[in-house]
Amino acid sequence: MKCDLLDNCMICPRKCGVNRNKKELGFCGQTGKITAAKAYLHAWEEPCISGKNGSGTVFFSGCNLQCVFCQNRQIATGEVSKEITKERLSEIFLELQDKKASNINLVTPTHFVPLIIPAIERARNEGLKIPVVYNSSGYELAETLKSLEGLIDIYLPDCKYYSDEIAIRYSNAPNYFNIAIAAIDEMLRQVGEPLFEIKRSTEDKKTEGGETSDSLNDKTISASLYNELMEDCEDDYLGPLMKKGVIIRHLVLPGQINDSKNVVERLLERYRDKVYLSIMNQFTPFGDLSKYPELKNKVEESDYEDLIDFAIDNGIENGFFQGEGTDMASFIPAFDYKGL
């Protein structure tokens, strides 16, 4: 995918057709230059993404979805935005690796894909070895994702809505669910089923195969063994890191438990244990929600527990659930251009 595709930008489902190289702005609000808000070691992703050292996260500015409840609205709207070159972006990747990042985590990268590709290629040629994570809203074109084949190791998409009515109300994104499913199909085709790599363990525990956790160091393991290790060791375990695979995130919204159940049910029917499903309760009312009074409350604990029970009843095997306290604004990083 070449940067001249930004002359007539059709790289996301919006298909705005604007000339971003001439500073025309489409739905994402971004030109043909990369902009970002922060690059640092992020500790609050899923355990197999953040690991002990943190995920080497680059928060890009702009967004092709623009959810009304976005907690990162400062960067989604481009309010916080610093221009960087492709060359600088590749340097940032290598600097994060030098800081012992678990991976490179590209947050909201969709609208910059043609510019990110050469940055990854350059960094790989100069010694980037850790996995690259594509962390997006799920509102993607499969055709655009195909241009990333061989460059992305882990896909971390959202699957936000099942109902078209809700998708249009909160994100102006008609046909969101079908578009996201087509994108996830392509992601899974590229990276395959989950694989993990154990770098370090804290205890010498026996596994089902008779090996000890220490003897598994520096080995690649399956999802089933990863689940067993995490269940046995719980919070003590420093944990394997994901090496390849797809983790689908679903953020539960207040009052939309039935839509969440539809999302979970259909994801489990389609993918079962080929992916991980991360069910999140961290919704925090943010910004001006005067037109959306139903979003002024937090998610009821009983609703979240009901959804988890529903997922278990529907046979979830590979999943991440959140505990209390994750619906706090303190989990939102300061977008202060650090690391850029």
Side-chain angles (χ1 to χ4, degrees):
M1 181 172 285
K2 298 180 180 179
C3 296
D4 58 11
L5 290 179
L6 299 180
D7 289 345
N8 178 33
C9 189
M10 307 284 278
I11 64 175
C12 90
R14 302 289 183 189
K15 295 186 176 180
C16 297
V18 299
N19 190 334
R20 289 169 56 191
N21 286 326
K22 289 188 176 180
K23 299 186 177 180
E24 294 177 7
L25 303 181
F27 194 92
C28 69
Q30 297 299 301
T31 69
K33 302 291 185 181
I34 301 170
T35 58
K38 192 182 187 80
Y40 82 126
L41 298 179
H42 185 32
W44 300 109
E45 305 286 34
E46 285 75 7
C48 63
I49 299 296
S50 287
K52 178 186 177 183
N53 297 329
S55 178
T57 305
V58 181
F59 286 94
F60 293 99
S61 300
C63 180
N64 72 326
L65 204 55
Q66 300 287 349
C67 304
V68 298
F69 52 81
C70 182
Q71 296 180 2
N72 293 345
R73 195 151 190 80
Q74 282 180 300
I75 59 173
T77 60
E79 178 184 340
V80 178
S81 176
K82 180 178 180 179
E83 186 177 310
I84 57 176
T85 64
K86 298 187 294 289
E87 293 75 19
R88 175 59 191 145
L89 183 58
S90 67
E91 291 171 356
I92 290 169
F93 296 161
L94 294 169
E95 289 167 5
L96 289 168
Q97 179 173 258
D98 288 343
K99 293 176 181 177
K100 308 301 182 184
S102 298
N103 42 57
I104 299 300
N105 186 354
L106 311 173
V107 177
T108 322
T110 308
H111 46 293
F112 291 129
V113 163
L115 305 170
I116 291 172
I117 287 173
I120 296 174
E121 292 173 336
R122 184 174 187 263
R124 288 262 173 90
N125 289 335
E126 295 186 5
L128 182 69
K129 299 184 184 303
I130 56 178
V132 177
V133 181
Y134 189 91
N135 184 341
S136 83
S137 69
Y139 199 56
E140 308 276 355
L141 287 181
E143 180 181 354
T144 299
L145 294 171
K146 287 176 182 177
S147 68
L148 291 161
E149 187 163 6
L151 298 176
I152 303 300
D153 303 286
I154 300 165
Y155 279 102
L156 190 57
D158 293 340
C159 190
K160 293 180 179 291
Y161 319 106
Y162 178 74
S163 162
D164 219 35
E165 180 182 356
I166 298 172
I168 293 169
R169 176 166 172 76
Y170 295 152
S171 299
N172 190 25
N175 203 29
Y176 172 88
F177 183 78
N178 290 330
I179 289 171
I181 288 297
I184 293 167
D185 284 351
E186 172 59 22
M187 294 172 182
L188 183 59
R189 184 195 70 80
Q190 288 183 27
V191 301
E193 296 186 23
L195 290 175
F196 301 84
E197 187 173 22
I198 298 184
K199 288 295 187 181
R200 185 180 173 191
S201 62
T202 58
E203 298 184 43
D204 186 25
K205 291 193 173 183
K206 291 287 184 180
T207 67
E208 185 176 348
E211 291 183 296
T212 64
S213 56
D214 281 340
S215 69
L216 289 169
N217 279 345
D218 300 317
K219 291 187 179 181
T220 299
I221 64 172
S222 66
S224 59
L225 184 50
Y226 169 80
N227 293 340
E228 179 186 340
L229 290 172
M230 294 305 288
E231 182 178 356
D232 286 347
C233 300
E234 298 179 346
D235 293 338
D236 296 339
Y237 196 66
L238 297 177
L241 296 173
M242 181 170 269
K243 185 177 181 181
K244 288 271 187 182
V246 178
I247 301 175
I248 306 171
R249 287 174 165 172
H250 175 69
L251 175 66
V252 185
L253 297 176
Q256 301 296 351
I257 187 66
N258 288 334
D259 194 64
S260 288
K261 286 182 176 180
N262 281 327
V263 170
V264 168
E265 182 177 21
R266 283 154 180 80
L267 290 177
L268 290 174
E269 285 176 352
R270 190 175 189 89
Y271 302 115
R272 193 55 57 184
D273 59 354
K274 293 180 180 178
V275 304
Y276 273 78
L277 180 55
S278 181
I279 302 177
M280 307 166 71
N281 68 348
Q282 66 188 52
F283 175 83
T284 301
F286 194 80
D288 181 9
L289 295 173
S290 57
K291 295 180 180 179
Y292 311 94
E294 70 275 20
L295 295 179
K296 291 184 178 181
N297 300 309
K298 296 180 180 180
V299 174
E300 294 287 341
E301 184 178 346
S302 58
D303 281 349
Y304 183 70
E305 291 175 352
D306 182 31
L307 182 61
I308 298 306
D309 289 341
F310 179 84
I312 292 170
D313 290 343
N314 278 268
I316 191 170
E317 296 180 19
N318 299 338
F320 294 105
F321 309 142
Q322 290 185 318
E324 296 181 6
T326 52
D327 57 346
M328 297 166 57
S330 59
F331 281 80
I332 303 171
F335 298 119
D336 53 9
Y337 307 119
K338 179 180 179 181
L340 301 179

